[in-house]
Amino acid sequence: MAAESGKIDPMHQFEVQTIWDGFNIAGHQIAFTNSALWMCVAAVVLWAFMLGGMKRAVVPGRWQMLVENFTGFIDSMLAANIGKEGRKYLPYVFSLFMFILFANLLGLLPLGLVGIHPFTFTSHFTVTGVLAIMSFSIVLIVGFWKHGLHFFSLFVPHGTPLWLIWLIPAIEFVSFMVRPFSLGLRLFVAMIAGHILLKVLAGFVINAGNAGLIPGLGVGIPSFVLMVGISALEILVAGIQAYVFALLTSLYINDAEHLH
Protein backbone atom coordinates (compact mmCIF):
# COMPACT_ATOMS: atom_id res chain seq x y z
CA MET A 1 0.00 0.00 0.00
CA ALA A 2 1.58 3.24 -1.15
CA ALA A 3 1.54 5.85 1.61
CA GLU A 4 3.44 9.09 1.98
CA SER A 5 2.82 11.67 4.69
CA GLY A 6 -0.43 9.93 5.62
CA LYS A 7 -1.70 9.92 2.04
CA ILE A 8 -2.99 6.77 0.41
CA ASP A 9 -2.59 6.43 -3.36
CA PRO A 10 -5.54 4.33 -4.59
CA MET A 11 -4.04 4.03 -8.10
CA HIS A 12 -0.70 2.54 -7.00
CA GLN A 13 -2.25 -0.94 -6.86
CA PHE A 14 -2.81 -0.86 -10.64
CA GLU A 15 0.80 -0.03 -11.53
CA VAL A 16 2.39 -2.60 -13.83
CA GLN A 17 5.87 -3.34 -12.51
CA THR A 18 8.67 -5.24 -14.21
CA ILE A 19 9.80 -8.39 -12.42
CA TRP A 20 12.22 -9.63 -15.07
CA ASP A 21 13.66 -7.55 -17.91
CA GLY A 22 13.19 -10.43 -20.33
CA PHE A 23 14.67 -9.98 -23.78
CA ASN A 24 14.59 -7.76 -26.85
CA ILE A 25 12.78 -8.50 -30.09
CA ALA A 26 13.42 -6.06 -32.95
CA GLY A 27 14.36 -3.35 -30.47
CA HIS A 28 11.30 -3.89 -28.28
CA GLN A 29 11.76 -4.92 -24.66
CA ILE A 30 9.72 -8.00 -23.71
CA ALA A 31 9.49 -7.95 -19.92
CA PHE A 32 7.83 -10.22 -17.40
CA THR A 33 5.61 -8.08 -15.18
CA ASN A 34 3.45 -8.49 -12.10
CA SER A 35 0.46 -8.57 -14.43
CA ALA A 36 1.93 -11.50 -16.39
CA LEU A 37 2.83 -13.23 -13.12
CA TRP A 38 -0.74 -13.15 -11.83
CA MET A 39 -2.06 -14.31 -15.19
CA CYS A 40 0.17 -17.35 -14.78
CA VAL A 41 -1.01 -17.78 -11.19
CA ALA A 42 -4.65 -17.63 -12.32
CA ALA A 43 -3.96 -20.19 -15.07
CA VAL A 44 -2.16 -22.56 -12.68
CA VAL A 45 -4.87 -22.28 -10.00
CA LEU A 46 -7.55 -22.89 -12.63
CA TRP A 47 -5.63 -25.90 -13.97
CA ALA A 48 -5.30 -27.32 -10.43
CA PHE A 49 -8.99 -26.69 -9.78
CA MET A 50 -10.04 -28.53 -12.93
CA LEU A 51 -7.55 -31.35 -12.38
CA GLY A 52 -8.83 -31.98 -8.87
CA GLY A 53 -12.43 -32.09 -10.08
CA MET A 54 -12.03 -34.43 -13.06
CA LYS A 55 -11.58 -37.73 -11.23
CA ARG A 56 -14.71 -39.24 -12.83
CA ALA A 57 -15.66 -40.99 -9.61
CA VAL A 58 -18.87 -43.02 -9.62
CA VAL A 59 -19.88 -41.21 -6.45
CA PRO A 60 -18.57 -37.69 -7.04
CA GLY A 61 -17.04 -35.76 -4.19
CA ARG A 62 -17.68 -32.10 -3.47
CA TRP A 63 -14.80 -30.92 -5.65
CA GLN A 64 -15.92 -32.99 -8.62
CA MET A 65 -19.51 -31.83 -8.16
CA LEU A 66 -18.35 -28.20 -8.08
CA VAL A 67 -16.49 -28.57 -11.38
CA GLU A 68 -19.43 -30.41 -12.94
CA ASN A 69 -21.83 -27.71 -11.74
CA PHE A 70 -19.72 -24.97 -13.30
CA THR A 71 -19.49 -26.93 -16.55
CA GLY A 72 -23.20 -27.65 -16.59
CA PHE A 73 -23.98 -24.01 -15.85
CA ILE A 74 -22.04 -22.75 -18.88
CA ASP A 75 -23.39 -25.59 -21.05
CA SER A 76 -26.97 -24.64 -20.13
CA MET A 77 -26.26 -20.98 -20.88
CA LEU A 78 -24.89 -21.84 -24.33
CA ALA A 79 -27.82 -24.15 -25.06
CA ALA A 80 -30.29 -21.41 -24.10
CA ASN A 81 -28.57 -18.69 -26.13
CA ILE A 82 -27.18 -20.56 -29.14
CA GLY A 83 -28.99 -23.87 -29.26
CA LYS A 84 -27.46 -27.26 -30.01
CA GLU A 85 -24.66 -25.54 -31.96
CA GLY A 86 -23.48 -24.00 -28.69
CA ARG A 87 -21.94 -27.26 -27.47
CA LYS A 88 -18.85 -26.83 -29.66
CA TYR A 89 -18.12 -23.46 -28.03
CA LEU A 90 -18.27 -24.89 -24.51
CA PRO A 91 -14.48 -25.30 -24.07
CA TYR A 92 -13.78 -21.70 -25.05
CA VAL A 93 -16.61 -19.98 -23.18
CA PHE A 94 -16.09 -22.15 -20.09
CA SER A 95 -12.35 -21.38 -20.07
CA LEU A 96 -13.09 -17.69 -20.56
CA PHE A 97 -15.59 -17.62 -17.71
CA MET A 98 -13.41 -19.53 -15.27
CA PHE A 99 -10.24 -17.58 -16.11
CA ILE A 100 -11.97 -14.23 -15.53
CA LEU A 101 -13.64 -15.53 -12.37
CA PHE A 102 -10.37 -16.77 -10.88
CA ALA A 103 -8.56 -13.58 -11.92
CA ASN A 104 -11.18 -11.42 -10.21
CA LEU A 105 -11.22 -13.51 -7.04
CA LEU A 106 -7.43 -13.77 -6.73
CA GLY A 107 -7.22 -9.98 -6.80
CA LEU A 108 -9.51 -9.81 -3.75
CA LEU A 109 -7.55 -12.19 -1.54
CA PRO A 110 -6.09 -10.45 1.57
CA LEU A 111 -2.61 -11.80 0.84
CA GLY A 112 -1.09 -8.48 1.85
CA LEU A 113 -1.28 -9.77 5.44
CA VAL A 114 1.56 -12.17 4.58
CA GLY A 115 3.51 -9.76 2.40
CA ILE A 116 2.10 -10.84 -0.98
CA HIS A 117 0.31 -8.19 -3.00
CA PRO A 118 -2.12 -9.70 -5.54
CA PHE A 119 -2.53 -7.88 -8.83
CA THR A 120 -5.97 -7.75 -10.44
CA PHE A 121 -5.00 -7.81 -14.11
CA THR A 122 -8.65 -7.60 -15.19
CA SER A 123 -8.51 -4.01 -13.92
CA HIS A 124 -6.43 -3.17 -17.02
CA PHE A 125 -8.23 -2.46 -20.27
CA THR A 126 -5.35 -3.94 -22.27
CA VAL A 127 -6.14 -7.34 -20.73
CA THR A 128 -9.94 -7.19 -20.88
CA GLY A 129 -9.68 -5.69 -24.37
CA VAL A 130 -7.61 -8.63 -25.62
CA LEU A 131 -10.14 -11.07 -24.17
CA ALA A 132 -12.93 -9.14 -25.88
CA ILE A 133 -11.05 -9.12 -29.20
CA MET A 134 -10.59 -12.89 -28.94
CA SER A 135 -14.35 -13.36 -28.58
CA PHE A 136 -15.07 -10.87 -31.35
CA SER A 137 -12.60 -12.63 -33.64
CA ILE A 138 -14.44 -15.92 -33.13
CA VAL A 139 -17.69 -14.18 -34.08
CA LEU A 140 -16.16 -12.86 -37.31
CA ILE A 141 -14.50 -16.16 -38.22
CA VAL A 142 -17.66 -18.19 -37.56
CA GLY A 143 -19.88 -15.66 -39.31
CA PHE A 144 -17.89 -15.50 -42.55
CA TRP A 145 -16.99 -19.21 -42.49
CA LYS A 146 -20.62 -20.29 -42.14
CA HIS A 147 -22.44 -17.60 -44.11
CA GLY A 148 -19.86 -16.00 -46.40
CA LEU A 149 -20.83 -12.55 -47.62
CA HIS A 150 -24.37 -13.22 -46.44
CA PHE A 151 -22.98 -12.45 -42.96
CA PHE A 152 -23.41 -8.76 -43.86
CA SER A 153 -27.18 -9.31 -43.70
CA LEU A 154 -26.67 -9.13 -39.93
CA PHE A 155 -26.61 -5.36 -40.38
CA VAL A 156 -30.04 -5.33 -42.04
CA PRO A 157 -32.56 -6.56 -39.45
CA HIS A 158 -35.57 -8.44 -40.76
CA GLY A 159 -38.48 -6.10 -41.38
CA THR A 160 -36.37 -2.97 -41.94
CA PRO A 161 -38.48 -0.44 -43.91
CA LEU A 162 -37.12 0.39 -47.36
CA TRP A 163 -37.00 4.09 -46.59
CA LEU A 164 -34.60 3.34 -43.68
CA ILE A 165 -32.37 0.93 -45.58
CA TRP A 166 -29.73 3.64 -45.96
CA LEU A 167 -29.58 4.36 -42.21
CA ILE A 168 -30.19 1.14 -40.27
CA PRO A 169 -27.20 -0.82 -41.69
CA ALA A 170 -24.84 2.02 -40.72
CA ILE A 171 -26.24 2.10 -37.16
CA GLU A 172 -26.08 -1.70 -36.90
CA PHE A 173 -22.51 -1.74 -38.21
CA VAL A 174 -21.34 0.86 -35.69
CA SER A 175 -23.14 -1.02 -32.91
CA PHE A 176 -21.48 -4.26 -34.03
CA MET A 177 -17.98 -2.77 -34.14
CA VAL A 178 -18.39 -1.23 -30.68
CA ARG A 179 -19.06 -4.65 -29.14
CA PRO A 180 -15.45 -5.59 -28.29
CA PHE A 181 -14.85 -2.16 -26.79
CA SER A 182 -17.94 -2.27 -24.58
CA LEU A 183 -17.29 -5.90 -23.64
CA GLY A 184 -13.78 -5.15 -22.41
CA LEU A 185 -14.68 -1.79 -20.89
CA ARG A 186 -17.48 -3.21 -18.74
CA LEU A 187 -15.21 -5.68 -16.96
CA PHE A 188 -12.36 -3.19 -16.64
CA VAL A 189 -14.52 -0.47 -15.09
CA ALA A 190 -16.22 -2.82 -12.63
CA MET A 191 -12.89 -4.15 -11.35
CA ILE A 192 -11.05 -0.86 -11.10
CA ALA A 193 -13.95 0.96 -9.41
CA GLY A 194 -14.33 -1.61 -6.66
CA HIS A 195 -10.62 -1.76 -5.90
CA ILE A 196 -10.30 2.02 -5.75
CA LEU A 197 -13.18 2.20 -3.29
CA LEU A 198 -11.62 -0.46 -1.07
CA LYS A 199 -8.26 1.31 -1.15
CA VAL A 200 -9.85 4.65 -0.21
CA LEU A 201 -11.69 3.05 2.70
CA ALA A 202 -8.48 1.34 3.80
CA GLY A 203 -6.85 4.77 3.81
CA PHE A 204 -9.60 6.09 6.07
CA VAL A 205 -9.04 3.19 8.48
CA ILE A 206 -5.26 3.66 8.61
CA ASN A 207 -5.27 7.44 8.89
CA ALA A 208 -8.09 7.45 11.46
CA GLY A 209 -6.26 4.90 13.55
CA ASN A 210 -3.07 6.98 13.44
CA ALA A 211 -4.97 10.16 14.34
CA GLY A 212 -6.04 8.94 17.76
CA LEU A 213 -8.82 7.23 19.68
CA ILE A 214 -11.75 9.49 18.76
CA PRO A 215 -11.08 9.57 14.99
CA GLY A 216 -10.38 5.84 15.14
CA LEU A 217 -13.74 5.13 16.73
CA GLY A 218 -15.71 7.71 14.76
CA VAL A 219 -14.17 7.16 11.32
CA GLY A 220 -11.97 4.07 11.39
CA ILE A 221 -14.51 1.55 12.68
CA PRO A 222 -17.38 2.60 10.34
CA SER A 223 -14.92 2.59 7.42
CA PHE A 224 -13.74 -0.89 8.34
CA VAL A 225 -17.30 -2.19 8.58
CA LEU A 226 -18.05 -0.65 5.20
CA MET A 227 -14.89 -2.28 3.82
CA VAL A 228 -16.15 -5.68 4.92
CA GLY A 229 -19.49 -5.06 3.22
CA ILE A 230 -17.87 -3.77 0.03
CA SER A 231 -15.51 -6.76 -0.01
CA ALA A 232 -18.49 -9.12 0.11
CA LEU A 233 -20.12 -7.13 -2.68
CA GLU A 234 -16.90 -7.29 -4.72
CA ILE A 235 -16.91 -11.08 -4.49
CA LEU A 236 -20.41 -11.03 -5.94
CA VAL A 237 -19.35 -8.56 -8.63
CA ALA A 238 -16.37 -10.79 -9.51
CA GLY A 239 -18.75 -13.63 -10.31
CA ILE A 240 -21.32 -11.45 -12.05
CA GLN A 241 -18.75 -9.82 -14.33
CA ALA A 242 -17.33 -13.20 -15.36
CA TYR A 243 -20.86 -14.37 -16.11
CA VAL A 244 -21.77 -11.23 -18.06
CA PHE A 245 -18.61 -11.53 -20.16
CA ALA A 246 -19.40 -15.18 -20.96
CA LEU A 247 -23.10 -14.41 -21.54
CA LEU A 248 -22.43 -11.58 -24.00
CA THR A 249 -19.85 -13.73 -25.78
CA SER A 250 -22.48 -16.45 -26.25
CA LEU A 251 -25.02 -13.91 -27.51
CA TYR A 252 -22.54 -12.52 -30.03
CA ILE A 253 -21.68 -16.04 -31.21
CA ASN A 254 -25.40 -16.71 -31.62
CA ASP A 255 -25.58 -13.77 -34.05
CA ALA A 256 -22.76 -15.33 -36.06
CA GLU A 257 -24.43 -18.74 -36.05
CA HIS A 258 -27.99 -17.72 -36.85
CA LEU A 259 -27.84 -14.10 -38.07
CA HIS A 260 -31.25 -12.44 -37.63
Side-chain angles (χ1 to χ4, degrees), residues 100-115:
I100 294 174
L101 177 63
F102 274 62
N104 294 346
L105 293 177
L106 283 172
L108 291 172
L109 294 178
L111 299 179
L113 296 174
V114 294

Side-chain angles (χ1 to χ4, degrees), residues 3-258:
E4 183 178 353
S5 301
K7 295 182 179 180
I8 303 296
D9 180 9
M11 301 306 294
H12 180 73
Q13 60 183 316
F14 305 114
E15 181 181 350
V16 177
Q17 300 175 349
T18 299
I19 298 175
W20 175 53
D21 290 334
F23 48 87
N24 282 297
I25 297 181
H28 297 281
Q29 184 73 24
I30 307 298
F32 188 75
T33 66
N34 54 345
S35 179
L37 172 63
W38 283 94
M39 289 183 201
C40 294
V41 171
V44 170
V45 172
L46 176 56
W47 176 80
F49 173 76
M50 294 302 299
L51 187 64
M54 297 178 67
K55 297 181 179 179
R56 299 178 182 272
V58 177
V59 181
R62 294 180 180 179
W63 200 335
Q64 182 178 338
M65 289 182 62
L66 185 61
V67 172
E68 290 177 354
N69 286 337
F70 273 120
T71 307
F73 173 71
I74 298 300
D75 185 44
S76 298
M77 182 187 71
L78 291 173
N81 293 317
I82 303 177
K84 61 181 181 180
E85 297 89 351
R87 177 58 65 88
K88 58 178 175 285
Y89 301 105
L90 178 60
Y92 171 72
V93 178
F94 176 77
S95 300
L96 186 68
F97 169 78
M98 295 300 293
F99 182 69
I100 294 174
L101 177 63
F102 274 62
N104 294 346
L105 293 177
L106 283 172
L108 291 172
L109 294 178
L111 299 179
L113 296 174
V114 294
I116 301 175
H117 300 286
F119 185 85
T120 310
F121 55 85
T122 47
S123 63
H124 280 254
F125 186 63
T126 51
V127 176
T128 61
V130 168
L131 294 176
I133 289 173
M134 287 172 54
S135 296
F136 191 67
S137 298
I138 291 176
V139 171
L140 293 177
I141 292 171
V142 171
F144 283 110
W145 181 271
K146 186 170 183 178
H147 304 286
L149 294 180
H150 186 60
F151 180 65
F152 287 109
S153 66
L154 181 67
F155 307 129
V156 186
H158 180 71
T160 301
L162 290 177
W163 64 278
L164 286 177
I165 205 69
W166 61 276
L167 178 62
I168 297 300
I171 295 176
E172 289 287 333
F173 178 77
V174 171
S175 175
F176 181 80
M177 296 305 295
V178 167
R179 284 180 176 181
F181 178 78
S182 62
L183 188 61
L185 186 65
R186 184 181 290 104
L187 175 58
F188 151 72
V189 170
M191 290 299 102
I192 197 172
H195 282 69
I196 289 176
L197 180 57
L198 286 174
K199 196 62 171 280
V200 170
L201 290 173
F204 288 164
V205 174
I206 293 172
N207 290 329
N210 293 334
L213 180 61
I214 295 178
L217 293 175
V219 177
I221 292 180
S223 297
F224 180 77
V225 172
L226 188 57
M227 271 189 67
V228 174
I230 295 297
S231 297
L233 180 62
E234 280 297 292
I235 294 175
L236 180 61
V237 170
I240 290 175
Q241 288 302 317
Y243 169 71
V244 169
F245 203 102
L247 175 63
L248 291 177
T249 295
S250 67
L251 292 175
Y252 296 158
I253 292 175
N254 175 64
D255 286 343
E257 281 283 347
H258 303 114

